Amino acid sequence: FDNSAKVPKRPYESARLDAELKLAGEYGLKNKREIYRVGLTLSKIRRAARDLLMRAEKDPRRLFEGNALIRRLIRIGVLTEDKAKLDYVLGLKIEDFLERRLQTQVFQLGLAKSIHHARVLIKQRHIRVGKQIVDVPSFIVRLDSQKHIDFALTSPYGGGRPGRCQRKRAKAAEAGDGDAEEADEE
């Protein structure tokens, strides 16, 4: 079984702990493991780029795998078109990947009041990407599906039926109006 996250070698390094806490707060993460998970993904990508950079410029494997790696990173929006070189892959930071999370995108699009509200909306199945409801805050949004992030059609926010509390209030108001009309008739 492969690990999805890699814990740091030194658990109590204060500078790193402060940086992690800042990241967790800024991107509304649940725990440090979410940071470590992205860190492991980033380290695998950077290792692949380093291995390819060690090969000759015209090596067929470097050309093929390098282009595939760059194309994948451009598609998820971590690299820009003008930085489509392996050297720029080594310069990627954890923040670049955290920016592409669905939670961050929902907040930046203004669908949520805060980054924490964004996480709650996603977990409560109010958000869809395209036609698919996504309830995973760490879902990596591709560039082409970024413009399709919206409220789910079944959600009260997206024109679905009202929520439980709203239905209860409407029923109470309806019953209250009925009592008021009976009082007027007497």
Side-chain angles (χ1 to χ4, degrees), residues 79-98:
L79 272 184
T80 52
E81 291 281 353
D82 57 322
K83 294 186 175 177
K85 285 204 175 83
L86 282 173
D87 299 326
Y88 291 111
V89 176
L90 296 180
L92 290 176
K93 296 191 295 294
I94 288 182
E95 290 90 331
D96 299 326
F97 285 88
L98 293 177

Side-chain angles (χ1 to χ4, degrees), residues 17 30-31 35-36 42 47 57 71 81 87 95 100 104 124 129 133 141 149 161 168-169 180 183:
L17 285 173
K30 183 175 74 169
N31 52 31
I35 297 173
Y36 302 152
L42 177 61
R47 183 187 308 137
E57 190 81 38
R71 193 175 65 243
E81 291 281 353
D87 299 326
E95 290 90 331
R100 299 307 306 164
T104 315
Q124 293 176 353
V129 178
I133 291 179
V141 181
I149 298 173
R161 86 178 219 189
K168 197 172 173 183
R169 281 194 208 108

Side-chain angles (χ1 to χ4, degrees), residues 2-8 16-17 20-21 23-25 28-42 94 98 101 119 138:
D2 225 1
N3 289 343
S4 62
K6 187 173 188 294
V7 295
R16 183 188 47 76
L17 285 173
E20 284 171 359
L21 195 61
L23 273 182
L29 306 178
K30 183 175 74 169
N31 52 31
K32 301 274 182 83
R33 192 185 312 124
E34 293 194 328
I35 297 173
Y36 302 152
R37 190 172 59 212
V38 175
L40 183 65
T41 310
L42 177 61
I94 288 182
L98 293 177
R101 285 166 52 99
R119 187 180 188 95
S138 64

Side-chain angles (χ1 to χ4, degrees), residues 95-126:
E95 290 90 331
D96 299 326
F97 285 88
L98 293 177
E99 282 292 329
R100 299 307 306 164
R101 285 166 52 99
L102 180 61
Q103 182 180 354
T104 315
Q105 294 299 321
V106 166
F107 173 56
Q108 287 175 348
L109 286 170
L111 298 177
K113 295 184 183 102
S114 72
I115 195 88
H116 306 290
H117 184 224
R119 187 180 188 95
V120 171
L121 286 178
I122 294 166
K123 286 306 284 183
Q124 293 176 353
R125 300 172 58 87
H126 290 297

Side-chain angles (χ1 to χ4, degrees), residues 24-79:
E26 191 178 335
Y27 292 100
L29 306 178
K30 183 175 74 169
N31 52 31
K32 301 274 182 83
R33 192 185 312 124
E34 293 194 328
I35 297 173
Y36 302 152
R37 190 172 59 212
V38 175
L40 183 65
T41 310
L42 177 61
S43 73
K44 285 179 179 174
I45 289 169
R46 291 185 58 186
R47 183 187 308 137
R50 268 199 315 272
D51 290 347
L52 292 172
L53 279 169
M54 283 192 287
R55 296 178 174 276
E57 190 81 38
K58 297 283 185 244
D59 186 356
R61 184 169 171 190
R62 174 175 170 168
L63 292 172
F64 182 74
E65 289 182 16
N67 286 338
L69 179 68
I70 289 168
R71 193 175 65 243
R72 200 165 64 233
L73 292 174
I74 287 174
R75 194 169 64 190
I76 64 170
V78 177
L79 272 184

